[in-house]
Amino acid sequence: MWQRGQITGPRLAAVVGAIRAAGGQGSVDTYAELTGLITGIAVLLNYSGDSTQALPTLSHYSGLGITGVTAANLGAINSAMDTLAPKDVDTKAKVQAIVDTYTRILAEANGTAADATPSAGPTVEDYALIGADIGLARTNAAALNLLNEVVGNLTTAAVDTVAEINALGVVVGKVMNLATGQPNTLTLENLYLLGLPSSGPGAITASNFDVVIRSMANAGGQAVLDTYRELFGVASGMATVVNYANDSTQTPPTLDQYRALGITGVTAANLEAVNSAIDANSGASVDSKAKIQALVDAYNFILAEANGSASDLTPEANPTAAQYSLLGANIGTAASSPQALSLLNDGIANVQTTDVDTVGEINAIAAAAAAVISAAAGGATVTLSQLRLLGVSNLAGLSLSNLQAIQSAIVATNDSGSDVDTVAELNAIVSRVVGAAKSIELFRTYADDGTTTAPAVADYAAVGANGVNSGKVAAFNSAVDALTSSDVDSSSKLQAVVNAYARILAEANGSAADATPGANPSAADYAQVGASIGLAAQGVAGGTNQASSALALLDDSVGALTVTSVNTVAKLNQLAAIVDKIMTLAQQSTGTAIPASAVTMTELSSLGLNVSLVNTSSETNAIWQAIINSADDGSGVATVTALQAIINANAS
């Protein structure tokens, strides 16, 4: 307390003023009340402008009759007193105004809680009253608004000294200067001081600081940075984008953050797609508003292309390789091959947006398109799933053989890929194969059950089996009936059946000269048509054993007959059975009794032999005996001519 004689001049006036403002005689009618009042005003006057003096306490404020000072805000109030001059605190009214104002400012700092007074922020005068120097915010409305918003987003601990408020004012001024194109003076610590995140989602770090600063500088001026929400959106939004691009385990950007960055075209419907593209890129590829906007525009163009069965609204404008690159998509050969790019775009046009709303899905379609174009040149094999990815239709229920037929059809197209660079072309191939598959099913069914509808010439044509006409179709159907469904379940297998039977029918030229004397049906040909030819099945043309002799005699017999005698598998089987009987006789030892199962003259006649001269049983026995006496390997009876000679020699 002042010593005697020191209560003079300004101090005396302050004491007198405090007594007058005390509230009447009842407030100073005790020595304690009077000394409390005088001591309070004295301590405040001493402390203001000289913080080495005694620190005001709660009792000093209460002694002066000041309300609103608590243990929680005492330090804040004293920081204001320290900043101010004695003339600013020389009356109770002035002190009360300071306390009330700082209390309001502290109340504004409510962190994430809702602002209780959203339309009444601290004024320039309020900050001045507590001795704060808020810099640019004194004269710039945008800066003042941002300062208040920043204070509102912080807690009281961050603004419970005037020095802290002053520091915020300086940083807010730097932000506003940056927004108007002035050189950056902000530091990473400055941004943290404003409450921007240093860790967690959207953290601003040394690695992304420069990017964040650029985003703030290019945000669009002070008007788009004058609220904490806007500032956070621009700064932390850009940090979030870059962080997510560099590390997909980070939190993805939100719709609000894209909007805060001024990015247009991002909606709730395409947000995940856009974030997928951000993830597919590196931070350096999305470190500016312009780059992000280009990415969004490119993805929206691609999504618009994916309209399924609807008509293309932009048939002459398709996504470019550069647009896919903006997304971070890996489109493989489509980046350099016009055919692969055409098929990729056509594939996307044939699916829905949900099928291309991630970069991974686009990559998969691109890989499918590349596989098709490669397959056309004899490269990669196209899978069923890849055809589905491209939107190719009519794929339900395809068998492995159907798929193989489709793959073969693609391989058979132009090596450049020009015949398969649209989905329509692929659909045509599939339709052709599916149509053939339906006809194949007819053959399969007939092979398993010969009472069903027999295939017609058109059915053979539908599966691509050539060489069938109305005169031969019954023979070929006889072969199909003799086989199993697995023997005729592809066009290639059916063609093999047709070719084999065609060779057998060509051999049956009767008395006409053999058009192919050096080429006779093989054992494999008879097996191919489902014939059961017994011993001849093991024969090899030109061989010297019984099986080869049997095959030779069967071929020679077919050659001696006409088509009508060999145009069913049953007729072929019958001929082979007669040949087996002849070979069995030839294998008997000389003098062996003639078996009851010996070949009959009627059966010999079926081979095209003339048995009309054989009139008695003794002649028949002589013919049998001559066959028995021939070479055991059957070579003596391996032709129709040799057998006819035996018959002629033993008949009258």
Side-chain angles (χ1 to χ4, degrees), residues 352-448:
Q352 303 297 324
T353 54
T354 53
D355 298 314
V356 291
D357 59 359
T358 70
V359 172
E361 289 170 331
I362 292 174
N363 289 347
I365 295 175
V372 170
I373 301 305
S374 175
T381 299
V382 183
T383 67
L384 185 59
S385 62
Q386 286 175 323
L387 292 174
R388 287 198 181 103
L389 282 173
L390 290 168
V392 176
S393 56
N394 298 325
L395 297 176
L398 285 184
S399 66
L400 178 60
S401 61
N402 296 151
L403 177 59
Q404 291 170 337
I406 292 170
Q407 292 166 335
S408 298
I410 292 172
V411 171
T413 61
N414 192 299
D415 285 356
S416 70
S418 60
D419 294 337
V420 287
D421 61 356
T422 69
V423 174
E425 290 168 334
L426 289 174
N427 279 335
I429 290 174
V430 172
S431 295
R432 193 164 61 245
V433 170
V434 169
K438 290 179 180 178
S439 294
I440 285 289
E441 194 57 34
L442 174 65
F443 286 95
R444 285 170 48 84
T445 300
Y446 191 68
D448 288 338

Side-chain angles (χ1 to χ4, degrees), residues 108 117 135 140 148 232 235 240 326 354-355 407 431 444-445 613:
E108 190 76 8
T117 56
N140 184 295
N148 286 341
F232 185 90
T240 299
L326 283 173
T354 53
D355 298 314
Q407 292 166 335
S431 295
R444 285 170 48 84
T445 300
L613 298 176

Side-chain angles (χ1 to χ4, degrees), residues 454-545:
V457 174
D459 296 315
Y460 283 92
V463 299
N466 302 314
V468 182
N469 56 39
S470 58
K472 298 177 182 178
V473 68
F476 299 142
N477 284 345
S478 167
V480 173
D481 185 20
L483 295 164
T484 64
S485 58
S486 62
D487 296 321
V488 293
D489 61 2
S490 72
S491 61
S492 60
K493 290 180 180 179
L494 274 169
Q495 188 65 64
V497 171
V498 169
N499 292 344
Y501 217 143
R503 284 191 288 271
I504 295 169
L505 293 174
E507 190 72 12
N509 53 2
S511 59
D514 189 352
T516 56
N520 297 313
S522 66
D525 287 332
Y526 291 105
Q528 188 76 63
V529 300
S532 178
I533 59 174
L535 184 61
Q538 305 301 317
V540 178
T544 57
N545 56 31

